[in-house]
Amino acid sequence: MISKNKKLTWFFIVLFVISAFAFGFEMISRRQNTENILIRLSIYFIFYITVAWNIIKQVWQAERVTKNVIMGLMSGYISLGFLAFFLFMSIELTNPGAFVGALMETNDITLKSDGILYYAYITLLTIGYGEIVPTIPVAQKAAILVGLMGQFYLVIITAVVVEKYIKHSS
């Protein structure tokens, strides 16, 4: 029977090989079309969902609250923001105009991705300034999912860490 660590190692090796082919092909062909970007975003999404899951699992299973647990708590939240970015960017690429606003009024994919990254974290933090607005149902539902994900993370995961800290500090 293969251990979990070996499975995870093989998973990352396979993901690396797929990434090498996908990114290498894009570099050789010197084309940046929507399909290549979606493949790249999918690879990043798979990587970050694995990383976020493992970070959250380690924080959840920690016996004592140490600096590493606090850093893991912050890293998990940042990873969730990247997951939201990849989700929103995929929606925008497959449905141009899914998000509108001052930061989205460009055809340059790099500038548009800056706006989507900003929107991902503003939504995860549930601040919602309103400069960027989802216009189609799938984008609206994704925004709801990300907002709930941010709240659940802050309420549940942080509460578990605080409870462990209080229990072991007395």
Side-chain angles (χ1 to χ4, degrees):
M1 184 171 182
I2 300 174
S3 70
K4 286 184 180 183
N5 286 340
K6 284 191 178 190
K7 285 181 184 178
L8 193 60
T9 302
W10 279 108
F11 171 77
F12 280 119
I13 289 171
V14 169
L15 188 62
F16 175 75
V17 170
I18 292 170
S19 300
F21 280 112
F23 297 145
F25 176 75
E26 188 174 320
M27 288 172 53
I28 291 169
S29 67
R30 296 184 186 255
R31 286 183 294 149
Q32 191 168 355
N33 58 22
T34 304
E35 291 81 22
N36 290 345
I37 295 170
L38 285 172
I39 290 169
R40 192 169 56 203
L41 287 173
S42 299
I43 291 169
Y44 290 149
F45 185 82
I46 291 167
F47 174 76
Y48 271 99
I49 202 161
T50 306
V51 168
W53 176 256
N54 283 304
I55 289 171
I56 292 168
K57 190 168 73 170
Q58 287 177 13
V59 167
W60 189 273
Q61 293 173 345
E63 295 292 323
R64 298 187 145 271
V65 178
T66 63
K67 289 179 188 175
N68 289 341
V69 172
I70 301 299
M71 295 302 283
L73 193 65
M74 292 186 298
S75 299
Y77 200 71
I78 290 168
S79 295
L80 290 178
F82 281 129
L83 287 172
F85 166 71
F86 300 134
L87 176 64
F88 293 150
M89 197 67 200
S90 298
I91 291 170
E92 178 63 31
L93 287 171
T94 55
N95 302 291
F99 299 93
V100 297
L103 300 172
M104 303 303 294
E105 303 298 323
T106 181
N107 288 333
D108 183 7
I109 195 71
T110 305
L111 293 175
K112 197 173 271 198
S113 68
D114 289 346
I116 294 289
L117 181 64
Y118 168 77
Y119 178 73
Y121 278 100
I122 291 301
T123 304
L124 184 69
L125 293 164
T126 65
I127 294 172
Y129 290 124
E131 300 106 331
I132 300 173
V133 180
T135 59
I136 62 172
V138 69
Q140 293 166 347
K141 289 177 177 109
I144 291 169
L145 176 68
V146 169
L148 287 173
M149 201 168 56
Q151 285 298 301
F152 290 156
Y153 186 90
L154 290 175
V155 170
I156 297 169
I157 304 297
T158 306
V160 167
V161 170
V162 169
E163 183 265 336
K164 288 178 184 182
Y165 178 76
I166 291 170
K167 184 168 71 171
H168 288 102
S169 66
S170 43

